[in-house]
Amino acid sequence: MLIIAASLLLIAALLALSIIDVRHLRLPDMLTLPLTGAGLIMTVLLGWPLTDHLIGAVAGFTFFAGLTYTYRLATGRTVLGLGDAKLLAAGGAWCGWFMLPLIVALASLSGLAFAAASTVLTRRPFSRRSL
């Protein structure tokens, strides 16, 4: 029963974050940070290995924050905010470090599908202004 409640909480939070991100291009800390904490709490309550999930949270944040910093340093432009890094930290907290590549792959494919659908439906090339 606990796993069902945890899954529903995670789904609701991710749905809310998706809607906010599409509308405002922001992922608010008031949702991403508690989501990370909730993932770590659920890990303990479900008896999963906490170390794998702590490493996942740190690695998820570090990966996207590092990409953001490196790209900004190289180009002077920012394309990812730290909200994305905090959300990947939450993914690592909930799923463990070993699932981070799959999480990033699914998120990337979802973004590409959204852009492709937008292009087909509006018959205009997708851009940031399309949102």
Side-chain angles (χ1 to χ4, degrees), residues 2-63:
L2 181 61
I3 193 110
I4 293 171
S7 298
L8 291 174
L9 169 74
L10 181 59
I11 290 167
L14 291 174
L15 181 60
L17 283 164
S18 297
I19 292 168
I20 292 167
D21 195 22
V22 167
R23 289 184 180 167
H24 304 286
L25 299 176
R26 300 237 182 259
L27 294 169
D29 287 353
M30 65 185 276
L31 290 177
T32 57
L33 296 178
L35 193 58
T36 301
L40 294 173
I41 290 168
M42 291 310 302
T43 296
V44 171
L45 292 176
L46 293 170
W48 296 340
L50 182 61
T51 304
D52 289 344
H53 296 257
L54 280 171
I55 291 169
V58 171
F61 179 83
T62 303
F63 176 67

Side-chain angles (χ1 to χ4, degrees), residues 67-87:
L67 280 177
T68 298
Y69 176 75
T70 303
Y71 188 82
R72 187 178 329 135
L73 195 62
T75 66
R77 294 182 8 199
T78 301
V79 293
L80 280 177
L82 288 181
D84 297 297
K86 292 170 192 169
L87 183 57

